[in-house]
Amino acid sequence: MEQAKKEMLAAAGIDAEDALERFMGSEALLTRFLGRFLEDASMDALRGAVAAGDWDKALTASHTLKGMCGNLSMTVLYDLFTRQVALLRASDTAGAAALMPEIEAACRKAAAAIREL
């Protein structure tokens, strides 16, 4: 992967070096899986669950996103979802909901970088 792409991804909170290791050095495979992140419905499910106050569904969606972001080395989002999952498990729904603007911003930033690949 070109250094410029790695830097663009890093600026969006994605550790390209670590991700490439997970994908056996295959840029094509990594790009395909990052694209699947954009198509996944879990973020919409999280938004809807938080808006509806359905905290069980919010926990499921946030936990799914945490795992996905961890596997894709999306470090900023992984950290945010890790925090949100912990808050939801502790029944701190206000704290979990308060993370949504930061999660949304990080999601937009990562999605924009992925679309540029």
Side-chain angles (χ1 to χ4, degrees), residues 11-103:
I14 302 169
D15 184 339
E17 288 292 332
D18 187 61
L20 282 168
E21 260 185 55
R22 289 176 191 273
F23 288 89
M24 301 169 287
S26 174
E27 182 179 347
L29 189 58
L30 172 59
T31 300
R32 187 167 76 216
F33 275 84
L34 286 170
R36 287 183 182 173
F37 172 80
L38 299 178
E39 298 166 359
D40 189 85
S42 297
M43 192 62 203
D44 287 336
L46 178 61
R47 286 182 192 108
V50 170
D54 188 336
W55 303 112
D56 288 334
K57 284 185 181 176
L59 175 58
T60 298
S62 188
H63 188 266
T64 298
L65 288 158
K66 174 187 160 192
M68 190 181 321
C69 291
N71 286 328
L72 293 170
S73 301
M74 300 173 82
T75 56
V76 171
L77 282 167
Y78 175 79
D79 291 344
L80 287 166
F81 289 124
T82 297
R83 288 172 44 205
Q84 188 175 52
V85 165
L87 290 166
L88 288 166
R89 286 186 174 150
S91 298
D92 183 353
T93 56
L99 281 177
M100 288 304 292
E102 194 174 351
I103 288 170

